[in-house]
Amino acid sequence: MLQVKYQPEAIKIRDAFRKSKRALIITHKNPDGDTMGSALAIYDLLHSLNKEATVFCVDPFPESFYFLSRFESVVHEFDINDFDIALTLDCGADYMTGITNTHPELFNGRFPLINIDHHKSNDDFGTWNIVDTSAASTTLIIAEALEFLDYKISHRMATCLMCGLFTDTGSFQHSNTTPRELRMAAHLMRKGASIHQIRNNIFKNNKISTMKLWGRVLSRAYKDSGGITISNVSDDDFRETGSNATELSGVVDFLNSVPDSKFSLLLTENNGKVKGSFRTMRDDVDVANIAGQFGGGGHKKAAGFTLPGKLEKEVRWKVVQEN
Ligand SMILES: [Mn+2]
């Protein structure tokens, strides 16, 4: 059930929707299964309520999510004058939408903005905010809000909502999987969510270029003296394997499977930027804190940062004398 403290906000959001005619649904940049599942579930809901809605994503929509309901409705540009309300879903900060510079009018506090998210870094930048950092996924919060408000969940919506739950819990393997997540998973399955579609499209859907890219990342992995598992990938790797950065999704979780590792770090050099992705299995390590030192953020066990720059290899030599 939606946590009691968010229930009044959920009612306000429902009332705001009732007054609105056309909603803009915004995902975060580099979209994942949670932001896309959230967006397409809300899109379906609004359509069932005879409301106009548009899903916007600043980046291309990953092919592995094409099975989600009505993915073809996603647009990559918009005119704000066409809309009277907007939502950001799974965006840990306003800049995660990728449009704070091109559309500042959305974030100046005057445009009606609904902010639903589960990232710790979220500072309640919306007019209405449901930011529940204890939820494993944004789709979980949405599903609980729909339950609370007594909205019908169609089988298409159920699969979208399950997609976020499934991916953000690492197929229900991460430590954020609690009875709350599993109860909702059962509820969504009853509503017709297809776990098989999610599994086949997202987890059993690797291109040869992805395998070659992962091969490079895995072959470079090492554990440093501090117990950190590190690997890296660069523009050359993407070019030589014919892959792109979206194909890295999941590889850092694989790096994070080394026993006794403090945390894992994947450094990605891509188009003049260096991205760091952190994962940890340990309860006493907070990678959101570490990512914060580089201007990033995220969750306690999964976080990242992006900095302008490139990766440079540092080689150390030592002389070993032979007796
Ligand atoms: Mn999420």
Side-chain angles (χ1 to χ4, degrees), residues 32 34 90 118-119 136-138 168 299:
D32 63 9
D34 193 22
D90 199 43
H118 68 131
H119 292 91
S137 72
T138 298
D168 269 20
H299 304 288

Side-chain angles (χ1 to χ4, degrees), residues 42 77 81 86 96-97 131 152-153 162 164 169 171 185 200-201 216 224 226 229 253 264 272 277 300:
I42 296 277
E77 50 189 36
N81 297 313
M96 285 302 293
T97 58
V131 178
K152 189 176 177 296
I153 296 179
M162 180 75 96
T169 56
S171 318
N200 291 346
N201 284 282
R216 290 187 179 210
D224 81 352
T229 305
D253 296 300
S264 59
S277 302
K300 222 180 144 194

Side-chain angles (χ1 to χ4, degrees), residues 80-81 140 286 299 304:
I80 192 61
N81 297 313
L140 172 61
D286 183 348
H299 304 288

